[in-house]
């Protein structure tokens, strides 16, 4: 199939393999040395020095379209002139490559809601990146391809090196988003997650104007169509906790909430592989034995082709990409009705927060805008151990608009649909990171099941002294001490000191939102001791 991209600046380029299927991409990746085959059939690839997102290398073009719509405190700007130079250099780089190889182009959709999905064409230098795209995004049917018309284009060339002096970048790596030209350019990194996150950023910008809430979250649903949203940054357990054999998976990372209900942006999952356990995560583990699964930076024995998920030599952020169809209980249309519960996941590195707490709608808004968690080692370049952080809306790097835009929309939807809200700590207890221990996943699952089936609401609760939210006193089968974090510490005075330290961090962080929220949300702040 010979055709061009049909966008300004790339006229005359037609060296693309269009819409190659998984088998051809898998074959191309192996034959060109991009990846190797592990026992069971997954494709194992190494992304080199970039094993996570390059957050400091992402830019949004600041022009008439974005000047008053993008949140510039949270997004780095690139001038239109710098982007034009970068675009022209990308086109020249692709023209030079035309002499020696073809690139791979996929016509995809971002979003399962037929009223709100976005047609995005994606060009990649690597065959395995194109396979990744087919797994992680939604593929048009043969009939849909006949009249397919892309509204956005993403070009990913790891061999392209940006020039900071010429392009206004911080390094040789670049992720540049131009909302006016509907074009994203990615260069200098082999980490495939940059492509899917670019689609998320685009939808995050476009959908709020349509009163559709874009969310960095997982979604699952039970047999009675009771749906749950799981907010949380990478490493907090979104993928693990949403892959529940007793519930149907809608998706594990990125969703929208429209007048039609909840819908997945993606067509697959991108799960963390480090320390993956067959016992704790059987559905995800099974994908590592399947043909076509893409495993990034997972250590493999060259002789036996056995995988070692405990070996972090290549990366803490090792990943597996696979289609939603690989999960036995996934809903392939990736849509469901309105949610019954919202779960906000956090990995508390201070060991202060309880394992679960019930939130009022005002408290839910406060914690959504705060987005407290710990960045897990390897999730971003330079992060070598969990670091306490606040990421607005549990996804600030992907939020082009001001967090208040998403916060107000979420508040309205919670009220409209009477949604229950919970804060769940998958981080540490009995002390901070390095002293305490991580919340047992079995305990977290038991608490979540009780929250989602409604039984937890029938138990007794206490009001937390530091945060003012309600904490259950017990859940069947779980040590009651977990619900009283202070009691798990050997030195309870040190717990008090640590709790107040965290309270101060919350209060200081929220000052930037106070002018954008109502009094009830301000009153949901944690309590600073006199």
């Amino acid at each position: 199939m010979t055709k061009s991209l049909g966008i300004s600046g790339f006229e005359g380029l037609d060296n693309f393999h269009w819409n190659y299927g998984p088998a051809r991409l898998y074959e191309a990746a192996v034959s060109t040395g991009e990846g190797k085959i592990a026992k069971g059939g997954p494709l194992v690839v190494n992304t080199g020095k970039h094993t996570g997102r390059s957050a400091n290398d992402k830019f949004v073009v600041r022009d008439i379209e974005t000047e008053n719509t993008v949140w510039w405190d949270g997004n780095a700007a690139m001038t239109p002139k710098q982007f034009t130079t970068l675009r022209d250099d990308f086109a020249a780089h692709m023209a030079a490559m035309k002499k020696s190889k073809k690139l791979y182009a996929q016509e995809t959709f971002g979003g399962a809601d037929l009223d709100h999905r976005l047609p995005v064409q994606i060009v990649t230098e690597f065959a395995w990146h194109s396979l990744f795209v087919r797994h992680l995004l939604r593929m048009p049917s043969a009939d849909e391809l006949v009249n397919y018309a892309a509204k956005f284009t993403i070009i990913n060339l790891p061999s392209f090196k940006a020039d900071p002096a010429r392009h206004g970048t911080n390094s040789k790596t670049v992720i540049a988003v131009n909302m006016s030209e509907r074009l994203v350019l990615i260069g200098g990194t082999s980490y495939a997650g940059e492509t899917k996150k670019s689609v998320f950023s685009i939808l995050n910008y476009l959908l709020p104007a349509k009163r559709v809430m874009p969310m960095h979250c997982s979604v699952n649903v039970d047999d009675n169509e009771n749906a749950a949203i799981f907010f949380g940054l990478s490493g907090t357990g979104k993928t693990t906790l949403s892959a529940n054999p007793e519930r149907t998976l809608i998706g594990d990372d990125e969703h929208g909430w429209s007048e039609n209900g909840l819908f997945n942006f993606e067509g697959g999952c991108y799960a963390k592989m480090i320390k993956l356990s067959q016992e704790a995560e059987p559905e995800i583990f099974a994908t590592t034995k399947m043909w076509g699964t893409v495993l990034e930076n997972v250590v493999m024995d060259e002789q036996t082709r056995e995988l070692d998920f405990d070996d972090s030599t290549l990366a803490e952020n090792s990943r597996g990409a696979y289609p939603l169809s690989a999960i036995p209980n996934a809903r392939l249309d990736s849509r469901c009705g309105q949610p019954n519960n919202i779960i906000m996941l956090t990995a508390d590195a201070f060991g202060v927060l309880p394992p679960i707490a019930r939130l009022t709608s005002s408290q839910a808004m406060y914690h959504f805008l705060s987005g407290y968690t710990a960045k897990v080692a390897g999730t971003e370049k330079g992060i070598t151990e969990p670091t306490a952080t606040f990421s607005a809306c549990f996804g600030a790097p992907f939020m082009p608009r001001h967090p208040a835009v998403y916060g107000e929309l979420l508040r309205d939807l919670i009220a409209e649909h009477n949604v229950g809200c919970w804060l769940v700590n998958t981080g540490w207890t009995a002390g901070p990171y390095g002293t305490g221990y991580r919340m047992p996943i079995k305990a977290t699952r038991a608490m979540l099941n009780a929250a989602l089936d409604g039984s937890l609401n029938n138990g007794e609760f206490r009001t937390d002294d530091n945060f003012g939210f309600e904490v259950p006193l017990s859940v069947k089968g779980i040590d009651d001490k977990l619900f009283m974090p202070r009691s798990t510490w050997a030195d309870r005075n040190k717990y008090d000191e640590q709790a107040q330290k965290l309270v101060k961090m919350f209060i200081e962080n929220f000052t930037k939102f106070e002018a954008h929220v109502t009094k009830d949300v301000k009153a949901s702040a944690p309590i600073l001791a006199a």
Side-chain angles (χ1 to χ4, degrees):
M1 183 178 184
T2 301
K3 66 176 183 177
S4 65
L5 297 177
I7 57 173
S8 176
F10 295 87
E11 296 87 354
L13 293 175
D14 59 3
N15 56 319
F16 307 115
H17 294 299
W18 282 94
N19 298 319
Y20 265 23
R24 297 185 78 179
L25 293 169
Y26 194 95
E27 180 180 65
V30 174
S31 64
T32 57
E34 292 178 12
K36 298 179 180 179
I37 303 172
K39 186 176 180 180
L43 180 69
V44 178
V45 298
N46 188 331
T47 65
K49 70 175 184 177
H50 293 280
T51 60
R53 293 185 301 104
S54 298
N56 294 328
D57 296 310
K58 180 182 176 182
F59 301 87
V60 178
V61 176
R62 190 166 189 165
D63 57 13
I64 295 175
E65 162 76 25
T66 59
E67 178 64 39
N68 297 315
T69 53
V70 165
W71 178 41
W72 293 113
D73 288 345
N75 292 272
M78 176 177 281
T79 68
K81 183 178 180 181
Q82 288 169 332
F83 184 86
T84 297
T85 301
L86 181 68
R87 184 196 64 195
D88 292 346
D89 289 348
F90 256 73
H93 189 76
M94 292 167 70
M97 296 173 72
K98 186 175 180 178
K99 301 174 183 178
S100 58
K101 68 174 293 185
K102 283 193 172 185
L103 305 178
Y104 301 88
Q106 296 286 346
E107 291 169 308
T108 75
F109 287 116
D113 188 317
L114 301 183
D115 294 329
H116 301 293
R117 65 184 181 179
L118 179 71
V120 185
Q121 61 183 4
I122 300 176
V123 176
T124 64
E125 180 177 347
F126 294 154
W128 79 263
H129 273 189
S130 198
L131 179 59
F132 173 93
V133 164
R134 289 191 68 95
H135 286 343
L136 268 297
L137 292 173
R138 305 194 65 81
M139 305 310 299
S141 66
D143 290 340
E144 289 171 332
L145 280 174
V146 174
N147 297 310
Y148 183 93
K151 293 185 178 179
F152 238 99
T153 300
I154 298 174
I155 302 175
N156 188 334
L157 306 177
S159 65
F160 180 90
K161 307 301 180 187
D163 181 344
R166 181 174 172 82
H167 303 125
T169 59
N170 293 323
S171 71
K172 295 181 180 180
T173 300
V174 62
I175 303 96
V177 183
N178 191 318
M179 296 297 182
S180 298
E181 295 188 16
R182 299 296 194 255
L183 177 63
V184 179
L185 303 176
I186 303 172
T189 172
S190 296
Y191 179 64
E194 297 288 10
T195 300
K196 68 160 255 168
K197 289 302 183 185
S198 293
V199 175
F200 185 31
S201 293
I202 295 165
L203 289 169
N204 256 344
Y205 180 78
L206 297 176
L207 290 180
K210 302 168 71 176
R211 299 300 293 167
V212 177
M213 176 70 183
M215 303 175 291
H216 183 209
C217 69
S218 301
V219 172
N220 65 22
V221 63
D222 69 11
D223 293 339
N224 296 316
E225 291 300 303
N226 292 319
I229 296 171
F230 296 77
F231 284 113
L233 296 180
S234 296
T236 57
K238 287 196 324 301
T239 299
T240 299
L241 294 171
S242 58
N244 185 333
E246 298 179 5
R247 297 175 66 87
T248 299
L249 182 70
I250 302 299
D252 83 323
D253 200 31
E254 296 162 1
H255 293 80
W257 186 353
S258 75
E259 71 279 8
N260 302 321
L262 304 175
F263 63 96
N264 195 352
F265 285 171
E266 303 173 289
C269 301
Y270 194 35
K272 289 180 73 71
M273 293 287 113
I274 194 68
K275 301 189 186 306
L276 182 66
S277 163
Q278 183 173 13
E279 178 183 2
E281 302 168 86
E283 293 84 8
I284 297 174
F285 188 87
T287 68
T288 68
K289 306 298 181 184
M290 295 179 182
W291 179 90
T293 293
V294 178
L295 298 176
E296 289 181 318
N297 304 312
V298 174
V299 174
M300 178 183 70
D301 186 292
E302 290 290 336
Q303 299 301 317
T304 66
R305 298 295 165 127
E306 294 278 359
L307 301 170
D308 186 349
F309 299 110
D310 293 324
D311 191 335
S312 60
T313 302
L314 297 177
E316 281 283 346
N317 192 39
S318 55
R319 294 273 180 165
Y322 47 87
L324 205 59
S325 58
I327 300 296
N329 62 333
R331 182 173 295 180
L332 299 187
D333 68 359
S334 299
R335 299 189 293 270
C336 66
Q338 302 296 340
N340 299 82
N341 286 282
I342 288 175
I343 309 296
M344 297 184 185
L345 298 167
T346 181
D348 175 26
F350 289 88
V352 169
L353 295 179
I356 191 167
R358 185 167 61 186
L359 306 177
T360 66
S361 58
S362 298
Q363 290 169 338
M365 184 55 35
Y366 184 92
H367 285 278
F368 179 72
L369 288 178
S370 296
Y372 168 69
T373 191
K375 288 182 180 178
V376 179
T379 303
E380 294 181 10
K381 186 173 65 174
I383 301 296
T384 58
E385 63 180 34
T387 303
T389 188
F390 292 88
S391 185
C393 310
F394 294 99
F398 321 119
M399 303 295 172
R401 298 180 185 270
H402 193 282
V405 172
Y406 308 103
E408 290 171 4
L409 185 51
L410 182 68
R411 178 197 61 202
D412 293 347
L413 290 169
I414 288 173
E416 181 180 344
H417 299 287
N418 192 29
V419 182
C421 300
W422 305 85
L423 182 70
V424 173
N425 175 24
T426 62
W428 285 260
T429 192
Y433 170 76
T435 301
Y437 59 89
R438 198 82 188 253
M439 291 288 179
I441 189 170
K442 288 185 177 180
T444 300
R445 284 193 185 278
M447 286 179 275
L448 278 174
N449 288 339
L452 298 181
D453 68 19
S455 62
L456 190 54
N457 280 318
N458 299 325
E460 292 185 75
F461 287 77
R462 68 173 176 86
T463 299
D464 187 84
D465 292 335
N466 296 298
F467 285 83
F469 42 48
E470 294 182 310
V471 181
L473 297 182
S474 66
V475 172
K476 185 178 179 180
I478 300 175
D479 186 349
D480 289 351
K481 278 189 175 182
L482 278 182
F483 300 101
M484 300 286 291
R486 188 172 185 268
S487 70
T488 66
W489 282 53
D491 187 332
R492 297 182 183 185
N493 289 328
K494 286 187 176 180
Y495 170 86
D496 293 336
E497 292 174 5
Q498 191 81 309
Q500 284 297 296
K501 178 180 178 182
L502 184 57
V503 164
K504 289 179 182 178
M505 291 175 65
F506 266 87
I507 292 173
E508 290 172 2
N509 171 73
F510 206 79
T511 56
K512 58 180 174 284
F513 301 123
E514 288 183 346
H516 303 277
V517 299
T518 54
K519 291 182 179 179
D520 58 314
V521 177
K522 291 180 187 178
S524 298
I527 303 156
L528 190 61

